[in-house]
């Protein structure tokens, strides 16, 4: 029996896409004619766009990797009348038959995108006469390598251990697939897999040194390579700063705090404060004053270092975040929101009631609590904010620097990093007496509702953050690994941990 990855590597597959999103022409058997697909620069563009579309599917970042499975695994203060998959995920009963298919889908979705990445890299290498401009070739290659590392890193964090060193360094983790082949990719150790991750990121960063996001392109770039505008909107692609931000994530996870700090600082110093800045802090005052949901920048899109544009975001979030079926809505406990995350302090300092991530962004749902509207979407939603799923945000770079400083007992840097974020979240009178506790609280406030807390929880013990348990916000270092799909383990292709 062919495994999933055998099937994927047999041919470049496609998702069922609407006509406006088609990124390739398929034959009646849903197989792509390589000769036609990769015979033009536009074909490579379409294939690369297809990778982003596949990443936004329900099995991956469009739902399970973000606001649903990862979020429920880390945060227990969601209420729902739906007592099936929802509750099993929250209670970490991952081996239940009710949610087996969820992890199967997450695994398949990740490796589906990786397979397509490897196919495009294969064609790019073997068709030097199609994409002849070195800048464009490097942009395509750099994006693909960084995306391959990005997805693998998340698969390892979801289906693997939280610590990769010491006695775990020689244990086997998820396969790191770098080739376009019918052969099954053997598992490697955490040590070897870490080397592959770093190799892909380092090569991606080198390829993306010519990224327009850095303001370094030649004078004729827009008249030659970018005549169709494909290389615009770089923050919706895996760009140079996103690759550096991913590098910072990886170094932090592995415990090299100096390198994590350096990578995060480079992003801040150049993408936010440099000669060619591409990021801007969200306008907190404007968000508070805005009364129309359709005109709010719910995900703080001006701070996205990298985001996915998911055209069917409404259908993906409907019945989970907002929609007509109240029994399935993920409702945040009212007491947690009002008395823990965004509570007014007794001395009036660091007033949580001013925080735009609170009552301005978490909307009251009936009498049950609050619903996170980070992924709010409608046909009339402002086009600049619509269909956005943040993959890496500016604030995370400050938290990475703060976490690295915390390990080194540099509380002044921790306080400074937190202040920089809080000033743009509605706070005016900031006095930080307990930076460690505040960093924990800030991480909760910033990332609740989007799945990132799952990863922070798994780093908890090593970083010494002691992320709090606010009456149900599950942030202790007890987040389990997701189970390998039985389609992989049953036929001996994956060895259990």
């Amino acid at each position: 029996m062919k495994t999933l990855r055998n099937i994927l590597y047999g041919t470049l597959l496609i998702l069922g896409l609407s006509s406006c999103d088609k990124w390739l022409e398929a034959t009646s058997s849903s197989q792509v004619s390589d000769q036609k697909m990769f015979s033009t620069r536009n074909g490579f563009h379409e294939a690369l766009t297809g990778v982003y579309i596949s990443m936004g599917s329900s099995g991956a970042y469009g739902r399970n990797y973000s606001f649903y499975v990862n979020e429920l695994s880390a945060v227990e203060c969601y209420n729902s009348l739906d007592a099936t998959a929802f509750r099993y995920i929250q209670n970490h009963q991952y081996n239940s038959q009710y949610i087996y298919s969820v992890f199967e889908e997450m695994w398949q979705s990740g490796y589906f995108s990786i397979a397509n990445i490897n196919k495009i890299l294969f064609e790019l290498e073997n068709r030097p006469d199609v994409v002849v401009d070195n800048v464009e070739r490097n942009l395509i290659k750099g994006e693909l390598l960084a995306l391959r590392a990005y997805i693998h890193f998340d698969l390892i964090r979801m289906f693997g251990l939280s610590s990769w060193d010491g006695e775990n360094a020689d244990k086997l983790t998820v396969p790191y697939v770098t080739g376009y082949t019918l052969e099954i990719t053997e598992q490697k150790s955490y040590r070897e897999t870490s080397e592959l991750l770093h190799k892909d990121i380092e090569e991606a960063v080198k390829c993306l040194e010519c990224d327009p996001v850095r303001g370094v392109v030649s004078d004729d770039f827009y008249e030659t390579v970018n005549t169709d505008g494909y290389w615009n909107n770089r923050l919706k692609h895996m760009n140079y700063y996103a690759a550096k931000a991913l590098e910072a994530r990886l170094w932090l996870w592995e415990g090299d705090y100096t390198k994590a700090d350096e990578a995060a600082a480079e992003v801040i110093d150049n993408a936010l404060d440099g000669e060619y800045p591409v990021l801007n802090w969200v306008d907190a005052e404007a968000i508070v004053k805005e009364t129309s949901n359709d005109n709010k920048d719910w995900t703080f899109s001006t701070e996205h270092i990298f985001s996915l544009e998911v055209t069917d975001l409404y259908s993906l979030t409907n019945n989970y975040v907002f929609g007509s079926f109240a029994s399935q809505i993920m409702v945040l406990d009212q007491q947690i929101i009002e008395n823990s995350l965004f509570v007014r302090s007794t001395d009036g300092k660091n007033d949580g009631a001013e925080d735009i991530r609170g009552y301005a962004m978490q909307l009251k749902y009936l009498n049950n609590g609050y619903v996170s509207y980070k992924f709010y979407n409608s046909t009339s939603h402002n086009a600049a904010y619509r269909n956005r799923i943040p993959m890496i945000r500016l604030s995370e770079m400050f938290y990475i620097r703060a976490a690295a400083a915390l390990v080194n007992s540099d509380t002044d840097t921790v306080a400074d990093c937190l202040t920089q974020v809080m000033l743009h979240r509605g706070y005016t009178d900031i006095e930080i007496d307990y930076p460690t506790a505040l960093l924990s609280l800030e991480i909760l406030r910033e990332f609740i509702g989007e799945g990132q807390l799952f990863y922070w929880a798994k780093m908890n013990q090593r970083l010494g953050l002691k992320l709090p348990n606010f009456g149900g916000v599950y942030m202790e270092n007890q987040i389990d690994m997701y189970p390998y799909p039985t389609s992989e383990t049953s036929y001996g292709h994956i060895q259990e941990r």
Side-chain angles (χ1 to χ4, degrees):
M1 177 179 178
K2 286 187 177 181
T3 66
L4 167 73
R5 288 194 306 284
N6 273 344
I7 296 171
L8 287 179
Y9 295 136
T11 183
L12 185 68
L13 303 182
I14 64 169
L15 299 174
L17 305 174
S18 62
S19 59
C20 64
D21 294 326
K22 285 183 179 177
W23 57 283
L24 48 78
E25 277 189 44
T27 65
S28 58
S29 62
S30 294
Q31 296 180 353
V32 178
S33 169
D34 292 352
Q35 189 65 33
K36 183 175 183 179
M37 179 70 195
F38 295 107
S39 63
T40 66
R41 292 171 54 244
N42 188 58
F44 276 94
H45 294 173
E46 290 176 342
L48 179 54
T49 299
V51 172
Y52 291 107
I53 293 173
S54 71
M55 290 173 66
S57 69
S58 62
Y61 299 96
R63 185 174 68 202
N64 288 345
Y65 291 11
S66 54
F67 64 85
Y68 186 49
V69 178
N70 280 359
E71 181 72 3
L72 291 177
S73 291
V75 182
E76 291 185 341
C77 64
Y78 285 99
N79 299 314
S80 173
L81 298 178
D82 183 353
T84 53
F86 187 106
R87 294 303 181 196
Y88 284 103
I89 295 170
Q90 277 194 314
N91 295 331
H92 301 171
Q93 295 174 291
Y94 298 141
N95 291 316
S96 168
Q97 61 178 331
Y98 294 103
I99 57 173
Y100 160 79
S101 61
V102 172
F103 299 111
E104 185 83 30
E105 182 185 33
M106 293 172 72
W107 181 275
Q108 291 179 8
S109 296
Y111 280 108
F112 179 93
S113 295
I114 291 168
N116 286 328
I117 287 169
N118 289 334
K119 170 61 175 174
I120 303 169
L121 284 169
F122 174 84
E123 295 294 343
L124 187 68
E125 179 69 22
N126 288 281
R127 295 174 185 264
D129 57 323
V130 178
V131 183
V132 296
D133 185 273
N134 286 333
V135 170
E136 186 164 44
R137 284 182 64 82
N138 280 330
L139 287 173
I140 295 173
K141 184 177 181 180
E143 283 191 33
L144 290 168
L145 290 173
L147 288 172
R148 186 166 74 184
Y150 189 105
I151 299 169
H152 273 114
F153 185 35
D154 282 354
L155 286 169
I156 298 167
R157 292 193 291 177
M158 289 186 289
F159 292 92
L161 297 165
S162 59
S163 177
W164 302 356
D165 55 8
E167 63 181 15
N168 293 333
D170 294 319
K171 293 181 180 179
L172 298 179
T173 185
V174 308
Y176 198 98
V177 186
T178 59
Y180 178 70
T181 174
L182 287 171
E183 299 298 322
I184 294 296
T185 299
E186 299 295 331
Q187 292 167 271
K188 290 183 171 60
S189 68
Y190 282 95
R191 179 186 290 108
E192 294 171 305
T193 303
S194 170
E195 292 173 357
L196 291 173
L197 273 168
H198 283 290
K199 180 181 178 181
D200 271 354
I201 294 173
E202 289 170 8
E203 189 173 356
V205 168
K206 184 176 181 180
C207 287
L208 293 169
E209 287 178 349
C210 61
D211 198 327
V213 79
R214 303 180 69 209
V216 296
V217 296
S218 61
D219 294 338
D220 64 348
F221 176 81
Y222 292 97
E223 288 77 35
T224 55
V225 176
N226 198 41
T227 54
D228 59 356
Y230 183 79
W231 299 108
N232 297 338
N233 301 318
R234 293 299 296 151
L235 301 181
K236 291 184 179 180
H237 283 237
M238 173 58 78
N239 58 79
Y240 175 86
Y241 295 127
K244 290 299 296 184
L246 176 61
E247 182 180 47
R249 271 186 183 175
L250 179 57
W251 284 126
L252 184 70
W253 185 273
E254 294 183 325
D256 192 323
Y257 304 111
T258 298
K259 290 182 179 178
D261 179 75
E262 290 173 352
E266 180 179 341
V267 176
I268 295 169
D269 292 344
N270 292 282
L272 178 66
D273 300 323
E275 184 178 358
Y276 301 101
V278 291
L279 301 177
N280 292 289
W281 289 107
V282 71
D283 188 335
E285 185 177 353
I287 285 180
V288 172
K289 290 181 177 179
E290 180 56 60
T291 58
S292 170
N293 289 343
D294 285 333
N295 289 326
K296 279 191 178 184
D297 186 359
W298 294 98
T299 63
F300 304 163
S301 65
T302 60
E303 300 177 13
H304 292 179
I305 301 171
F306 166 42
S307 66
L308 287 180
E309 183 169 0
V310 182
T311 56
D312 58 344
L313 184 59
Y314 177 79
S315 64
L316 291 171
T317 55
N318 195 28
N319 301 336
Y320 294 92
V321 181
F322 51 86
S324 56
F325 297 98
S327 64
Q328 297 178 13
I329 296 295
M330 294 170 57
V331 181
L332 288 159
D333 183 87
Q334 182 171 341
Q335 296 301 313
I336 298 296
I337 294 296
E338 295 182 355
N339 298 332
S340 295
L341 291 183
F342 304 103
V343 64
R344 181 185 296 273
S345 59
T346 56
D347 59 4
K349 297 178 182 178
N350 301 333
D351 189 353
E354 297 178 345
D355 198 316
I356 61 170
R357 296 165 298 187
Y359 310 124
M361 308 302 284
Q362 313 284 341
L363 299 191
K364 195 71 177 290
Y365 185 77
L366 303 178
N367 293 319
N368 301 329
Y370 290 83
V371 174
S372 174
Y373 258 41
K374 283 187 176 181
F375 298 141
Y376 170 83
N377 204 43
S378 75
T379 56
S380 56
H381 194 197
N382 187 310
Y385 314 141
R386 190 186 308 159
N387 300 324
R388 303 289 290 274
I389 291 185
M391 301 290 276
I392 309 179
R393 296 198 281 121
L394 174 62
S395 57
E396 183 181 349
M397 297 301 100
F398 285 91
Y399 296 143
I400 286 175
R401 295 203 69 192
L406 179 64
V407 173
N408 294 319
S409 301
D410 182 1
T411 55
D412 288 341
T413 297
V414 177
D416 180 64
C417 288
L418 297 182
T419 298
Q420 292 301 311
V421 178
M422 294 174 69
L423 284 172
H424 299 280
R425 298 296 182 259
Y427 295 86
T428 54
D429 181 19
I430 303 175
E431 294 184 24
I432 300 177
D433 297 323
Y434 304 101
T436 301
L438 186 57
L439 174 57
S440 303
L441 183 58
E442 270 295 293
I443 290 170
L444 284 166
R445 287 168 169 169
E446 186 75 5
F447 294 123
I448 195 165
E450 58 188 81
Q452 285 293 325
L453 291 176
F454 176 84
Y455 303 124
W456 282 98
K458 290 189 76 167
M459 284 195 296
N460 183 16
Q461 187 175 42
R462 186 183 330 110
L463 292 174
L465 291 178
K466 299 180 180 179
L467 298 172
N469 185 334
F470 287 128
V473 181
Y474 189 89
M475 292 300 294
E476 298 176 0
N477 190 44
Q478 298 173 10
I479 300 294
D480 301 315
M481 297 177 288
Y482 294 151
Y484 287 153
T486 56
S487 63
E488 299 290 336
T489 58
S490 297
Y491 299 97
H493 301 128
I494 290 289
Q495 297 183 40
E496 292 284 7
R497 285 69 61 98

